[in-house]
Amino acid sequence: MKLTAPKLALSVLTVLVFACSPVATTNTVSRNVSASFSLPPMKTPPGRAAAPTNRSNASIAAEFITLAFQLESGRQLPVLTRFEGPITLRVTGASSGPTTNRDLDHLITRLRQEARIPITRVSADQSASITVHFLSRAKLRRSVPQAACFVAPGVESWAEFSTRRNAKGRNWADLTTRTKMAIFLPNDVSPQEVRDCLHEEIAQALGPVNDLYHLTDSIFNDDNFHTVLTGFDMLILRAYYDDNLHSGMTRDAVVARLPAILRRINPKGRSTGVGVRATTSPNWTREIETALGARGAGTAQLAAAKRAVAIARSQGWNDNRLGFSLYALGRLALGQKSSLALNSFAEADAIFRANPSTRLHAAHVAVQSAAFALSAGRPQAAIKITDDNSAVALRAENASLLSTLLMIKAAALEAAGRSDQAKIVRLDSLGWARYGQATTGEIRDRLNEISSLAPRQERTSTP
């Protein structure tokens, strides 16, 4: 299940640095975009194959077992379940736009080529193993408030899900094999959010039913940094559908067969690679979900983020979980405690940059760092930060992140007196924003928000 904002939607980046800026907002240049401004053609990610994982096979095997035999609630599953034989997929309901079919076709091609899964798309009037059904976001959230999108086992329509939610076979723990799944997605969100939901929910319909916070290189993580299936994810799915596994196998039986499977499909994992990481404390998970949840006042969320940082430190996690805790703390401290926000972002950035597998995480922090530099009258520093991170966002196919970085760069170029270059970069940012943002109004608001960060005196400032 992909979770909604504000719980864990870190892919939706809002720059909230006004209260932290050392420059008064009365000195900002007025660059508000006209309500009727025009947008360039949409830019879309290529939907290409992912780079292979660099994990050791021992690490992959350990993660596979936890992903396959445990629900997010912590409940253990008795047997492995998957589809047996060829898999079909159909789309019903009014889809969100012309990019949906393209993104879905790219995903199916990747699943066939990288995960070797025999999945084929069929017409909407045919029966299928997996039904992808589009409906309004409001209707979806009335039924499952915390979900941006989700997969339901044992059903194939919204009516069936709504009327028989507690029937036999509707619970993951009841399954011994998978025969039909329904995925419910909103049709009134950005093209990127639809694409992200397709990747996460189709992957869950096919394979892992768990999300693990310690994974740095996977979509199966509620931190939402990765939004398309990675090389690690594709290898997990490939192992899921290996001929030497089948539905109904116990945990011990799968444990016994995985090493030979992984030696065959991932020979590079025999020697070097990322090792097994320590499991995540339920106390930390509870605090981080409180910090980023929709419930409770801002002070309660800030306190929960502080506790999450403290737990991560006490556990000795100098990894993405401590970085994520600090990033969450920084976001919640914005507008309340400027020094705490800055220090938290700086420490999160250092942790993420120390590990090649968390460079994408660092790019999210870079949005805040670049915005701070812009608002502090240091346009050249803002330009460098955005240049250092834009390629990472592009490789991750995160148009929302990329467009925000480019908008900041454009504002910094204009503040530095390089207006012609600023126009080119801003046009590029708007092309990506059309894919990453839901409406023209949202794009205009984001552009105005970022443009207003640059103070008037920045036009002659130096980094």
Side-chain angles (χ1 to χ4, degrees):
M1 177 175 70
K2 187 171 181 64
L3 300 171
T4 62
K7 187 174 184 184
L8 295 171
L10 296 182
S11 58
V12 183
L13 297 168
T14 302
V15 183
L16 301 172
V17 299
F18 300 103
C20 305
S21 172
V23 183
T25 57
T26 54
N27 291 332
T28 58
V29 178
S30 176
R31 303 187 189 96
N32 284 351
V33 178
S34 166
S36 60
F37 83 116
S38 60
L39 291 171
M42 179 186 294
K43 288 179 174 286
T44 57
R48 58 194 168 205
T53 180
N54 69 339
R55 282 177 172 268
S56 68
N57 284 341
S59 168
I60 295 167
E63 307 296 10
F64 182 102
I65 295 301
T66 309
L67 287 167
F69 285 93
Q70 182 175 303
L71 297 173
E72 289 186 63
S73 64
R75 181 178 181 179
Q76 299 296 312
L77 297 177
V79 296
L80 179 77
T81 64
R82 69 178 196 183
F83 289 100
E84 301 296 336
I87 303 165
T88 52
L89 180 148
R90 65 173 182 156
V91 177
T92 62
S95 66
S96 60
T99 60
T100 299
N101 284 329
R102 170 191 173 277
D103 287 339
L104 180 56
D105 290 343
H106 281 170
L107 174 56
I108 289 174
T109 297
R110 286 193 59 200
L111 289 168
R112 293 178 65 87
Q113 294 178 349
E114 297 173 56
R116 313 291 175 85
I117 294 176
I119 182 170
T120 306
R121 185 173 174 182
V122 297
S123 62
D125 59 353
Q126 293 181 262
S127 61
S129 313
I130 301 172
T131 297
V132 177
H133 182 74
F134 284 92
L135 66 163
S136 72
R137 176 168 44 179
K139 186 174 183 179
L140 186 150
R141 289 186 179 176
R142 279 196 298 271
S143 181
V144 187
Q146 293 295 329
C149 46
F150 65 95
V151 57
V155 301
E156 55 187 352
S157 70
W158 180 254
E160 191 177 6
F161 167 76
S162 300
T163 58
R164 304 185 62 195
R165 294 177 65 171
N166 298 317
K168 183 71 174 175
R170 305 295 185 260
N171 190 301
W172 290 101
D174 295 336
L175 303 181
T176 55
T177 189
R178 302 188 195 186
T179 56
K180 60 180 179 178
M181 296 276 168
I183 295 169
F184 302 108
L185 282 73
N187 57 12
D188 48 2
V189 295
S190 72
Q192 178 171 317
E193 186 168 344
V194 172
R195 190 274 319 268
D196 296 352
C197 281
L198 287 170
H199 276 248
E200 183 162 345
E201 304 312 329
I202 290 176
Q204 188 175 41
L206 292 167
V209 294
N210 197 1
D211 284 318
L212 302 173
Y213 273 109
H214 66 264
L215 297 180
T216 60
D217 52 356
S218 175
I219 201 172
F220 302 118
N221 188 328
D222 275 336
D223 64 16
N224 279 4
F225 284 117
H226 286 282
T227 56
V228 298
L229 289 165
T230 66
F232 169 82
D233 298 332
M234 286 297 185
L235 190 62
I236 290 289
L237 288 169
R238 184 175 174 183
Y240 239 93
Y241 284 84
D242 190 88
D243 289 341
N244 287 305
L245 298 182
H246 59 79
S247 293
M249 292 181 69
T250 65
R251 180 190 183 104
D252 288 345
V254 174
V255 167
R257 293 194 182 183
L258 265 181
I261 292 171
L262 292 173
R263 283 196 298 271
R264 175 166 38 81
I265 68 175
N266 188 43
K268 291 183 178 179
R270 296 183 184 185
S271 53
T272 60
V274 178
V276 179
R277 295 185 176 94
T279 57
T280 300
S281 161
N283 292 335
W284 179 87
T285 300
R286 187 162 47 250
E287 298 296 355
I288 203 70
E289 291 184 350
T290 299
L292 297 171
R295 300 173 184 173
T299 53
Q301 291 176 298
L302 184 63
K306 290 179 178 178
R307 290 193 295 270
V309 171
I311 292 170
R313 293 194 197 282
S314 69
Q315 295 290 321
W317 301 337
N318 194 33
D319 60 13
N320 62 303
R321 288 167 293 185
L322 176 57
F324 185 47
S325 306
L326 289 161
Y327 180 53
L329 178 58
R331 287 173 64 92
L332 290 165
L334 287 170
Q336 299 183 55
K337 299 183 179 181
S338 302
S339 61
L340 177 62
L342 282 167
N343 292 337
S344 298
F345 287 137
E347 189 176 355
D349 182 71
I351 291 169
F352 289 148
R353 291 188 185 281
N355 186 343
S357 72
T358 51
R359 281 291 289 112
L360 176 59
H361 305 55
H364 283 258
V365 182
V367 168
Q368 303 295 342
S369 302
F372 276 123
L374 178 62
S375 64
R378 300 171 56 229
Q380 298 300 337
I383 292 167
K384 185 179 188 309
I385 293 169
T386 56
D387 283 345
D388 289 346
N389 290 277
S390 293
V392 175
L394 180 60
R395 282 196 301 272
E397 303 193 22
N398 192 325
S400 177
L401 175 59
L402 179 58
S403 66
T404 301
L405 288 166
L406 293 175
M407 286 179 187
I408 295 173
K409 180 179 179 180
L413 285 168
E414 187 169 331
R418 297 156 64 182
S419 297
D420 290 343
Q421 294 178 52
K423 290 177 182 177
I424 295 171
V425 173
R426 186 170 289 114
L427 194 66
D428 195 24
S429 77
L430 293 175
W432 289 112
R434 289 197 64 182
Y435 185 81
Q437 304 296 320
T439 66
T440 300
E442 288 180 8
I443 297 171
R444 183 180 60 249
D445 291 346
R446 176 69 55 83
L447 202 59
N448 284 332
E449 183 182 21
I450 291 171
S451 294
S452 66
L453 290 174
R456 186 174 286 118
Q457 56 264 43
E458 278 194 9
R459 294 185 181 281
T460 57
S461 66
T462 56

